[in-house]
Each structure stands twice: as structure tokens, then as C-alpha cells.
Amino acid sequence: MNPDAMKGSRLRAGDLLRLGANGLRTRPLRAVLSAAGIAIGIAAMIAVLGISASSAAHLDAELDKLGTNLLTVEPGQDANTGEPVPLPRTTVQTIARAPGVDTVSGTGKLEDVNAYRNARVDPAESNALTVLATDRHLLRTMEGRLERGGWLDRAPARYPTVVLGERSAARLGVTEPGESVWIGDRYFTVLGVLAPVPLAPELDTAVLVNAAAAERYLGYDGRPTKVYERSADAVVERVRALLPRAANAENPQYVTVSRPSDALKARQAAEASFTGLLVGLGAVALLVGGIGVANTMVIAVMERRGEIGLRRALGAARRHISRQFLIEALLLSCLGGLGGAILGTAVTAGYAHAQGWPTAVPLAALVGGVAATALIGAVAGLYPALRAARTPPTAALAAP
């Protein structure tokens, strides 16, 4: 063959794609198994990122619905003794007068006071419930809702009535308002049951008593152990700085102010760290898939030496052979990448639907996943392509 003719020969892009695709079609099982290795790695990474993004979207939606402007005030600890310093009896009233405060409510934990289904229950079986004294503003401050029945303002403040948290009702076996529970030395009538409160899970296991009734029947001293405050989003940080002095003007250093949504954000950050670990494992799986592609292409070159030699003898240049096998490796990897993207998205959608979350698959993950497979295909196919290009025309004589 005239070297000048070989030098001037051309292979159009369409023909190159057909040659690469034909190499996969002639060995479909091997191509599918090799692409599956890539697909598993991509699907694992996309599913992990998608499930994490869906969980974050659900959490953000909950925070948007509940509001991130809820602040809590609790007693701080004495630096010398380590004991908590009680808040003043007037804490709720003084915080309510602070600039920027929209609504405020407090709860006081009643020590050594437990709630039981009736007077015959063993006192040791307290069901890990907390009896809290509170006021009529708590429901509004928490932006909570009642699952059944009504709030504490349904009856005069001095009457022995309660509202149960969602878990409290379940543990006490209370199914409907109007039933009674035993607290202290008397029965209290259940007015209602709260729905779960995500930003204040302590209320789910609480038995809420009106502060006036708690003072009259249960020995409540009127000092809140936790105060909840809401203000406009724009002034939250400013109000946060004012709360210690508003709560305890004499000893503001003994007041702790926090935001429950920060704990949820911290949990989200921890989940993101775990997600990074899983993505790393997915990357390892992707690397293993790339090695599988390289192995497949090397075997293909060895098996097709006769075909390559014949094409070289008919005028195909080395660059044509190398490009053909490089395109074949790219097609094989991209096939796995697209399959993995579809599989990962399907897994994410199925899991999110089962959890009741919105489905959120980051576009960057999809694009990056397919791009990663293309890069892996190029790297994995480079050596086999160069090896194929070095096959001499005389190899055709050895073909069976």
C-alpha cells in the first residue's frame, strides 16, 4: 500500500461512530456486563446525592413552614458550682416587653410530679413523661396545632385540666378528649392532644397544665425552666442579643439562648458528612467499572488482531484504528453512565416517595456523573486504542 495514500485517507465522524457501535453490537453480553460496572458506580453516587438532597429539601421545607425565628431561653449554669441558676418568675413578662418580640411563652418543669392513667397505677411506672406548667400563649408561640380536642383556654385557668403531647397520649392510653389522668393527688381532665412539634420534641412527651392550676394543685413556684420566643426573621439576631438581659436583668450571664433550627441544621451537616463517605465508596465502584472497561477493550484488541490487520492492509491509518477503539470505549462508558443516571434517579425517586419527601436530584450530579464516565472511558480506552494502532497489517495473515 502506498504510504502517501494511507496518509491522505480519511474517516468521517459518522463512520467512526458506526465502527465503534458495531464493535459493541458484535459482543452484546460483554458490553452490557462492562457497562454495568460503570452504571453501578454512577447509580450509587447519584442515589446517595439524590437521597441526601431530597432529605435536605424536606428538612428545609419543614423549617420554612415552621419558621427559623423561634428562640429558646433556659437557665444557665453557675461557673463556680455548675448548678443551673433559675430564671425569675417575671421572665416571660419582661421578655414580652423587649423590642422586636412578637410572642413569648414559658414552660416550667414540675419536679417529682408524674402523670398516670389512673390512681391505681404503680408510681414507678411514670412512662418517662414530663409534667409542664404553661400558659395559653404556648400553642400560638410554637405555631403548633391540635390533633384532637381543644387548648388550655377551653376551661378556666384554675381548673385541673391538661393537654397531652402526641406521645404522652399514646403512652397513657388516652384516645379522646374528656378522659382523665391522675397527677399528684387528683384527676385532671384531658382537653386535647397536640400534634407533633418538630422544633420542640420535648413537648411530644409532655403533660401540659395551666400555670394557675399547677400553682394551686401541684406546688409550681412560677419559675419557667424554658421560654419560647418568636420575632420577625429580619430582627431575630438582634432580639437574640437582647434576650439574656431581658430574661434576667441582674444576672444575664446565667441565661442560655439557643435556636432549635440550628440543631436541625447541625444534623443536616452531619448527614452531609456521611453522604461524602458514601460518595467516596461510589467513586471506588466507578473506578472498578473503569478497570472493567479497560480490561474489555484490551481483550477486544487481542481478539480482533486479524480484523485490525486487514483494515490496516486495506489502507486504514493508525490514527483511524486508535480513534475507533477510543470511540468504542467512550460509547461503552457513556452507555454505563446513562444507565447509571437513570437507575440512580429511579432509586432516589422511589425512596423519596416512600418517605413522603420531595424528589431532588442535583443536575450537577447527573451531568457530572455522565462526564465522569466519559473521562473514565477515555482513560480506560487510551492504552487499548494505542495498542490496536500498533497492530501491523501482517496480523491479517494470522486470522483464522
Side-chain angles (χ1 to χ4, degrees):
M1 178 62 65
N2 187 348
D4 294 332
M6 292 176 63
K7 184 177 180 180
S9 63
R10 294 186 302 168
L11 187 61
R12 293 177 297 182
D15 295 332
L16 191 61
L17 286 173
R18 280 192 292 272
L19 280 171
N22 184 64
L24 298 181
R25 284 197 301 268
T26 55
R27 297 165 180 83
L29 181 59
R30 183 183 297 172
V32 169
L33 292 177
S34 298
I38 293 285
I40 290 172
I42 291 295
M45 289 195 295
I46 290 178
V48 168
L49 292 173
I51 291 173
S52 177
S54 298
S55 175
H58 172 71
L59 179 58
D60 289 340
E62 288 295 312
L63 289 177
D64 289 340
K65 182 170 63 178
L66 296 169
T68 56
N69 59 347
L70 176 67
L71 301 176
T72 60
V73 177
E74 296 181 84
Q77 290 185 338
D78 188 306
N80 297 321
T81 65
E83 295 294 324
V85 178
L87 296 172
R89 287 175 57 95
T90 57
T91 296
V92 173
Q93 290 78 10
T94 54
I95 288 178
R97 292 195 294 267
V101 173
D102 285 346
T103 180
V104 60
S105 178
T107 60
K109 183 178 180 180
L110 301 177
E111 300 292 345
D112 301 323
V113 177
N114 296 313
Y116 304 94
R117 186 65 181 89
N118 54 58
R120 295 183 296 275
V121 176
D122 186 343
E125 298 179 6
S126 63
N127 289 311
L129 302 180
T130 305
V131 180
L132 300 177
T134 188
D135 54 58
R136 60 188 179 88
H137 301 294
L138 181 65
L139 189 65
R140 178 190 168 202
T141 303
M142 299 308 301
E143 295 184 2
R145 64 180 182 83
L146 289 158
E147 200 169 79
R148 297 185 296 276
W151 183 236
L152 291 170
D153 55 7
R154 284 281 187 90
R158 65 181 184 278
Y159 284 13
T161 56
V162 296
V163 169
L164 303 179
E166 184 245 355
R167 292 186 183 178
S168 298
R171 293 177 186 179
L172 291 171
V174 174
T175 57
E176 295 295 334
E179 299 183 37
S180 298
V181 294
W182 181 262
I183 306 175
D185 60 355
R186 69 184 59 244
Y187 281 101
F188 282 66
T189 302
V190 177
L191 295 178
V193 177
L194 278 176
V197 186
L199 288 183
E202 65 272 11
L203 297 181
D204 295 342
T205 55
V207 177
L208 301 170
V209 183
N210 200 301
E215 290 187 25
R216 183 175 183 180
Y217 301 112
L218 303 174
Y220 176 48
D221 62 3
R223 293 179 180 269
T225 54
K226 193 164 191 175
V227 179
Y228 304 92
E229 181 276 337
R230 280 192 190 270
S231 52
D233 290 337
V235 298
V236 167
E237 293 305 324
R238 190 173 69 203
V239 172
R240 192 176 190 179
L242 296 174
L243 286 181
R245 188 164 295 279
N248 191 342
E250 295 183 358
N251 298 295
Q253 71 274 19
Y254 296 142
V255 176
T256 302
V257 181
S258 61
R259 181 157 49 184
S261 57
D262 289 343
L264 297 179
K265 287 294 185 182
R267 186 186 71 185
Q268 184 175 343
E271 290 175 350
S273 300
F274 185 64
T275 297
L277 174 62
L278 295 181
V279 169
L281 294 177
V284 172
L286 190 59
L287 178 62
V288 172
I291 295 174
V293 170
N295 181 60
T296 298
M297 297 308 300
V298 168
I299 294 175
V301 170
M302 295 173 61
E303 290 180 344
R304 295 159 64 183
R305 283 177 58 82
E307 172 196 333
I308 298 168
L310 181 60
R311 290 196 59 224
R312 294 277 286 119
L314 293 176
R318 287 185 175 182
R319 64 180 182 276
H320 299 153
I321 301 299
S322 62
R323 290 172 185 172
Q324 172 191 343
F325 280 88
L326 189 59
I327 287 295
E328 191 170 322
L330 283 171
L331 289 175
L332 183 60
S333 296
C334 288
L335 179 65
L338 291 173
I342 294 172
L343 178 61
T345 302
V347 170
T348 300
Y351 187 83
H353 178 73
Q355 296 294 323
W357 299 344
T359 301
V361 180
L363 181 61
L366 293 173
V367 175
V370 176
T373 59
L375 178 62
I376 286 176
V379 173
L382 185 60
Y383 170 72
L386 294 176
R387 180 171 178 172
R390 290 195 296 268
T391 302
T394 56
L397 300 176

